[in-house]
Amino acid sequence: MSTTTTSNTFENDFHKNHIQINNFQRGLLTVGSAFMSIVDPYRADMIACLGETAGTSAIMYMMRKMESSEEGAEILRQKPRINSQTVDLDKLKKYPEGTLGRTYTRFLEDNNVTPDSRLPVQFIDDVNAAYVLQRYREAHDLFHAILGMPTNMLGEVTVKWIEAIQTKLPMCIGAAIFGPVRLKLKHRNLYKNYYLPWALETAHNSKFLLNTFFEKRWEQPLNELHKELNIKPLVLPNT
């Protein structure tokens, strides 16, 4: 797919899904979505809404980080999408074990998730800012895959700490802070002793994950990508 076609595809989707709101409506949506996100952390629609209505400064920060990187800037220019229409998942399943492509499809299989589940951005007026947030949403499962984190609460909270520190998105910060209260006792101990320290170290030491042009790296061995991004996989003690 050409750069122009890909960019125009996102822009077409943006105009189709965009909803114009005023400041009062934005404030109302922010308060309501923040409350519901705390009450029910599985409400993806409320979490998505909070990211759009309260995340302007964070999105601008993310955009600057991408613009300052050659690879990130290329992503912004091309505006690629990550879904079953743009990524040949059947082809990736045939890639050798240990490659990014096979790791990603195995993550989708093991956790029974699909790249088509990410909601479109609606309440952001600028098309480029909207794309940055859309890219974050669609890359979230790839973050899980390369970090080796499942989609259970322990895995989600761990990834959210890394995302919170790297992106500064309010909904990531909220999920990282309030999510652990829902952990079971066994997971809570693992979280405090291993997962949280590893997440904090990884967030601060690794490169900005959103600058990774995953679509050009499907054949790359995961251990090479880890070295490039300065990610040290979590190692748990034998139990």
Side-chain angles (χ1 to χ4, degrees):
M1 183 176 289
S2 69
T3 300
T4 302
T5 302
T6 308
S7 178
N8 287 344
T9 297
F10 175 76
E11 291 179 8
N12 290 338
D13 288 343
F14 167 78
H15 292 299
K16 180 176 66 176
N17 295 308
H18 179 246
I19 299 175
Q20 186 77 38
I21 57 175
N22 58 39
N23 289 335
F24 175 76
Q25 292 169 322
R26 188 175 301 277
L28 210 58
L29 285 171
T30 299
V31 173
S33 59
F35 175 77
M36 288 304 303
S37 297
I38 294 174
V39 171
D40 185 357
Y42 292 102
R43 283 290 301 272
D45 56 336
M46 292 293 97
I47 295 172
C49 181
L50 180 62
E52 296 178 34
T53 58
T56 302
S57 62
I59 294 169
M60 293 300 103
Y61 167 80
M62 294 160 64
M63 186 182 298
R64 289 193 297 271
K65 293 284 285 186
M66 295 182 74
E67 290 171 340
S68 67
S69 158
E70 182 178 344
E71 194 166 345
E74 185 178 2
I75 295 170
L76 291 178
R77 286 193 299 271
Q78 295 194 21
K79 293 182 173 60
R81 304 297 299 276
I82 303 173
N83 55 55
S84 62
Q85 300 300 312
T86 61
V87 178
D88 189 342
L89 297 176
D90 289 331
K91 181 179 179 180
L92 297 190
K93 291 177 183 178
K94 299 175 183 176
Y95 279 18
E97 292 293 337
T99 59
L100 174 62
R102 186 65 188 108
T103 300
Y104 175 53
T105 54
R106 189 171 297 282
F107 168 84
L108 297 177
E109 294 165 351
D110 292 346
N111 294 277
N112 194 30
V113 294
T114 169
D116 298 326
S117 62
R118 300 301 165 186
L119 295 172
V121 173
Q122 295 179 299
F123 303 117
I124 295 178
D125 296 333
D126 180 79
V127 63
N128 294 314
Y131 175 74
V132 171
L133 188 59
Q134 190 71 48
R135 180 67 177 181
Y136 156 74
R137 289 179 183 174
E138 294 178 2
H140 175 75
D141 287 337
L142 273 156
F143 294 166
H144 270 273
I146 66 174
L147 294 169
M149 290 292 120
T151 57
N152 59 19
M153 184 59 72
L154 179 58
E156 285 291 354
V157 170
T158 302
V159 173
K160 277 294 179 286
W161 268 113
I162 295 172
E163 292 178 340
I165 293 170
Q166 288 211 346
T167 70
K168 306 187 187 307
L169 284 166
M171 80 278 196
C172 294
I173 296 172
I177 293 173
F178 295 107
V181 302
R182 295 178 177 270
L183 293 173
K184 296 180 180 179
L185 181 59
K186 178 182 179 181
H187 280 176
R188 196 173 300 165
N189 290 332
L190 286 171
Y191 168 75
K192 290 188 296 184
N193 294 327
Y194 302 103
Y195 285 77
L196 178 58
W198 174 82
L200 298 177
E201 179 182 356
T202 300
H204 287 294
N205 294 339
S206 66
K207 294 183 179 179
F208 190 61
L209 299 183
L210 205 59
N211 280 338
T212 310
F213 208 141
F214 296 105
E215 297 89 333
K216 295 190 174 184
R217 296 171 174 268
W218 295 130
E219 298 182 55
Q220 184 175 12
L222 189 61
N223 59 354
E224 290 185 8
L225 182 61
H226 282 163
K227 290 179 182 177
E228 186 177 338
L229 296 178
N230 199 28
I231 293 174
K232 297 179 181 179
L234 174 63
V235 178
L236 296 173
N238 294 327
T239 55

